[in-house]
Amino acid sequence: MTEVSVAKEDLVPTGELVVLKSVNKHFGALHVLQDIDLTIARGEVVVVIGPSGSGKSTLCRTINRLETVDSGSIAIDGKPLPQEGKELARLRADVGMVFQSFNLFAHKTVLENVVLGQIKVRKADRKKAEEKARTLLDRVGVSTQADKYPAQLSGGQQQRVAIARALAMDPKVMLFDEPTSALDPEMINEVLEVMQQLARDGMTMIVVTHEMGFARSAANRVVFMADGRIVEEAAPDQFFSNPRSDRAKDFLSKIL
Ligand code: ADP
Ligand code: MG
């Protein structure tokens, strides 16, 4: 894997980047996010864990406004997320998202997958967009795959392309929703390594994952959710060795 150190102006943590205040969200009668207060500092890596159905994906989806909220507020880098409009599209581009399923454009080459958003959303010119795409593909270790189509790549390679594609938009924060859950076991580490490197490079990251090794080594903080609430937050060492809530103890006893 190639290591490229990124020249990012915001390597130095300078305060709050993502701020959720009293966020509530229902799906019909189901209160899926309940009074969520969450502040993520620039450069911080937060791992979100919790039982299936606890609201982790919905939390991610509200942060880039794939879902609306019923009440409360979400701000990215000091700017409140509007409910709709042009401003929303611009702010949404500040939030990179990587899903469990890789969601690459099947009929575009790997290179095009990383080029397209830059041209359409960021209005970059093609030559610059291609240069940047090649640099990013190199950074995630798939530069030799640039002219192939997604289906010709392994799952781990596809997910690394998805990460490169998200990074191409120069996001301020990256959201990962179970990025390794759909991968064959032998491909999990190659994706986690790219994420580790991104964390070391200073990217602000929110990562929903069951990979506790990643949480221990890369996270500044673990957020434990159950039934739509943040039940517990702590540094990884503290959380794993000494969970305070019964819900967290119960959850950890099942997965560790
Ligand atoms: P997690 O990611 O922690 O497994 P989710 O955020 O996906 O949890 O889901 C939380 C709850 O909301 C679950 O009970 C799920 O079935 C429900 N849910 C998620 N998305 C929708 C939707 N679009 N419509 C109705 N219910 C939903
Ligand atoms: Mg989920």
Side-chain angles (χ1 to χ4, degrees):
M1 201 148 308
T2 323
E3 282 191 23
V4 178
S5 62
V6 275
K8 279 196 68 189
E9 65 287 354
D10 51 9
L11 272 176
V12 184
T14 51
E16 301 171 346
L17 187 60
V18 180
V19 180
L20 284 79
K21 285 195 181 138
S22 307
V23 168
N24 281 279
K25 167 82 183 170
H26 293 77
F27 286 119
L30 185 67
H31 197 171
V32 58
L33 295 178
Q34 304 191 30
D35 289 321
I36 300 286
D37 287 307
L38 182 63
T39 297
I40 292 158
R42 208 176 292 274
E44 194 179 14
V45 177
V46 171
V47 161
V48 180
I49 66 172
S52 177
S54 55
K56 307 179 299 294
S57 292
T58 307
L59 178 70
C60 287
R61 293 167 60 81
T62 59
I63 292 174
N64 73 348
R65 272 289 282 101
L66 289 171
E67 299 280 0
T68 56
V69 298
D70 299 335
S71 65
S73 66
I74 300 174
I76 309 285
D77 207 7
K79 296 188 198 93
L81 270 185
Q83 289 282 14
E84 56 194 7
K86 271 203 184 125
E87 180 71 0
L88 173 63
R90 214 173 51 72
L91 286 179
R92 185 184 276 153
D94 286 341
V95 182
M97 184 132 179
V98 175
F99 302 88
Q100 180 175 338
S101 51
F102 324 124
N103 295 92
L104 295 174
F105 305 119
H107 302 292
K108 304 280 182 194
T109 64
V110 163
L111 187 75
E112 269 317 282
N113 265 276
V114 185
V115 162
L116 276 177
Q118 297 184 61
I119 293 176
K120 291 205 166 146
V121 181
R122 293 302 198 200
K123 311 295 175 203
D125 73 57
R126 173 160 283 277
K127 188 161 175 291
K128 285 223 173 86
E130 285 187 7
E131 272 169 26
K132 186 168 174 181
R134 288 189 193 281
T135 302
L136 286 167
L137 289 172
D138 188 38
R139 185 171 164 197
V140 301
V142 291
S143 55
T144 55
Q145 314 295 318
D147 299 323
K148 293 189 181 165
Y149 288 86
Q152 296 173 286
L153 272 56
S154 72
Q157 289 172 325
Q158 289 185 55
Q159 195 59 307
R160 287 183 280 146
V161 174
I163 294 172
R165 184 176 63 171
L167 290 175
M169 307 299 282
D170 294 322
K172 290 179 177 166
V173 53
M174 285 281 285
L175 305 181
F176 294 85
D177 189 1
E178 300 200 24
T180 60
S181 296
L183 296 176
D184 292 334
E186 74 273 20
M187 291 169 190
I188 290 175
N189 277 339
E190 65 192 47
V191 173
L192 293 179
E193 273 166 29
V194 167
M195 292 167 62
Q196 289 269 13
Q197 187 59 45
L198 207 51
R200 283 195 289 268
D201 288 341
M203 177 58 78
T204 307
M205 294 164 63
I206 301 172
V207 183
V208 179
T209 185
H210 301 300
E211 294 295 331
M212 297 303 132
F214 176 84
R216 279 178 188 276
S217 61
N220 301 107
R221 179 160 46 129
V222 172
V223 167
F224 175 73
M225 287 185 76
D227 298 331
R229 292 183 188 279
I230 294 178
V231 174
E232 193 166 335
E233 293 182 60
D237 278 354
Q238 194 188 335
F239 180 78
F240 291 115
S241 62
N242 192 17
R244 294 186 304 270
S245 64
D246 289 341
R247 289 303 299 268
K249 283 177 194 162
D250 180 56
F251 178 73
L252 288 174
S253 73
K254 284 174 183 148
I255 61 158
L256 292 181

